[in-house]
Amino acid sequence: MAEIQKEMGNASMKGGDVDAAAGKYAEGLRMANLVLQFHIYQLRLTGDRASPAFSGPSADSTVVSQLEQGALVRVGNQSEDGEWMQLQRPDGSGELVEAWIKIDGDGWKWEQVVPEEMQRKAEKVCVALNLNLAQVCLKQHDWAGTVAHATHALELDPDNCKALFRRAVASVNLVSKKWVMGAVGDLMNASLIDPTDRDIHDALKATRQQLREIERSWKEAEAEGWSRLMLASREQCSEEVESLLEARAEVDGLGPGGATALTLAAEAGSADLVELLLGARASVDLPGAGGATALALCAMARRRWPACCCRPAPAPAPRARQARRPCSSPRRAATSGWRGSC
């Protein structure tokens, strides 16, 4: 059914109805994702013995129930050693319960419900549909949507040239150093995969030039009183912010109009950078260029203010690792070339 939706979407695209195509692609993607979710999260008990469910990821824990042969369960977290899975509520809500099963035991084994062949087919369809949706978003100038769909495709197929190229095209239109650096990385990876593609070569050349122009504009801004930390915070360059803070950059330095790194990060809506700057003891009381403090800016943007602003953050509780795809090695959205930060 997902493939039928894809073909119907292709027909709409050829007919020039981009909105109809987007709807067909999205419905097909929903169907294909359901198959993948079942593959990852649903298991069936095989063997000739019942499988106990324990209150924790240890055979020394209390047995809370016995699951008979043929039982179907949905799982969530995986233990650090990879031998235990935590159960979800059977209603599909995704809520975890205090019950764990051992994948392999004495006389039983938990196996994936969806066959490997079907899972691979669903992954292929997901890649194609995300690529098509990325193309739709490009036509609609929805740059963030393009990046999202191309990234989803790359999670399943890290060497997909179309996904790398489309994400790069969208990234340069977001016009900040963070995104342009990511686009350069994507295009470099794409050129390694297909060194004969002239469009990739030309785009890489133009994007490198755009990055040089951004660097030149940063130097001009520094001459006008903006610190590099302020510029990195404004453009959400998290790695550069972290590096500057480690080098003891002045966290509360004032730029033109009274702007600070923290108020600029708050204006940009970057909760991660706000927390990073607060960790470096940035002042929440200094007003920015418009007279509003970082706290007020976050409130106006209706963004959740980090807990560390209001009270000391508690030590994180130990957490079980999230379930991973059992059929393949972890893949990181091709982030070797695109980090989304600078």
Side-chain angles (χ1 to χ4, degrees):
M1 290 298 294
E3 289 179 312
I4 293 174
Q5 293 291 328
K6 178 169 75 74
E7 294 306 321
M8 291 173 65
N10 290 344
S12 295
M13 282 290 281
K14 287 179 182 178
D17 193 341
V18 177
D19 291 335
K24 298 298 182 186
Y25 292 148
E27 178 60 17
L29 186 59
R30 184 190 68 80
M31 295 175 178
N33 276 329
L34 281 175
V35 175
L36 293 181
Q37 287 170 12
F38 272 107
H39 178 81
I40 296 169
Y41 296 119
Q42 192 162 37
L43 305 178
R44 177 184 287 112
L45 180 62
T46 61
D48 54 12
R49 293 186 61 183
S51 167
F54 296 87
S55 60
S58 167
D60 296 329
S61 302
T62 304
V63 175
V64 294
S65 66
Q66 292 284 346
L67 301 166
E68 300 299 326
Q69 183 180 2
L72 289 172
V73 297
R74 292 179 65 81
V75 294
N77 288 341
Q78 185 177 7
S79 63
E80 289 294 334
D81 58 15
E83 295 182 0
W84 295 80
M85 300 293 293
Q86 188 174 7
L87 300 184
Q88 294 183 18
R89 290 177 60 88
D91 58 10
S93 65
E95 183 181 346
L96 296 172
V97 298
E98 294 302 319
W100 293 74
I101 55 172
K102 197 170 194 290
I103 301 300
D104 292 309
D106 184 12
W108 80 80
K109 182 178 177 66
W110 289 96
E111 296 181 344
Q112 300 293 331
V113 171
V114 178
E116 294 288 331
E117 183 179 353
M118 185 181 293
Q119 185 257 347
R120 286 193 294 270
K121 185 176 181 180
E123 283 190 350
K124 185 177 179 180
V125 173
C126 277
V127 170
L129 287 166
N130 273 302
L131 284 173
N132 290 352
L133 283 165
Q135 183 65 18
V136 167
C137 289
L138 278 177
K139 287 181 176 292
Q140 297 173 331
H141 293 184
D142 178 3
W143 312 125
T146 304
V147 168
H149 285 297
T151 299
H152 290 321
L154 289 164
E155 288 171 352
L156 297 170
D157 184 6
D159 294 331
N160 191 292
C161 252
K162 284 184 179 179
L164 289 166
F165 184 77
R166 289 173 189 176
R167 187 166 70 177
V169 171
S171 295
V172 296
N173 281 283
L174 290 169
V175 195
S176 83
K177 185 179 178 183
K178 164 187 174 178
W179 296 104
V180 175
M181 285 186 70
V184 169
D186 274 347
L187 292 168
M188 287 177 65
N189 279 349
S191 67
L192 291 173
I193 296 165
D194 188 357
T196 63
D197 191 304
R198 189 68 192 177
D199 288 339
I200 294 173
H201 174 79
D202 291 345
L204 179 57
K205 182 178 179 181
T207 305
R208 280 174 166 162
Q209 177 59 33
Q210 186 175 349
L211 184 57
R212 285 192 289 269
E213 290 171 359
I214 290 174
E215 283 287 359
R216 190 179 305 117
S217 72
W218 275 37
K219 289 179 180 176
E220 292 172 356
E222 287 182 76
E224 294 171 0
W226 297 90
S227 72
R228 200 161 185 86
L229 180 62
M230 294 176 200
L231 296 170
S233 299
R234 183 185 66 187
E235 301 204 13
Q236 303 178 57
C237 297
S238 55
E239 288 187 2
E240 184 154 353
V241 168
E242 191 168 359
S243 177
L244 289 166
L245 291 175
E246 288 175 357
R248 302 302 179 96
E250 187 180 356
V251 70
D252 284 330
L254 299 180
T260 68
L262 184 58
T263 57
L264 291 166
E267 285 175 354
S270 176
D272 289 343
L273 279 182
V274 167
E275 291 208 51
L276 192 61
L277 291 162
L278 288 174
R281 300 184 180 279
S283 173
V284 298
D285 298 320
L286 292 173
T293 65
L295 181 58
L297 289 167
C298 282
M300 285 188 288
R302 295 186 178 179
R303 297 182 184 276
R304 183 182 62 83
W305 186 252
C308 54
C309 170
C310 306
R311 61 184 181 276
R319 227 177 128 180
R321 189 171 52 191
Q322 292 292 326
R324 296 176 296 179
R325 296 178 187 273
C327 60
S328 60
S329 59
R331 287 173 284 191
R332 299 287 185 181
T335 50
S336 59
W338 187 86
R339 300 183 63 84
S341 58
C342 52

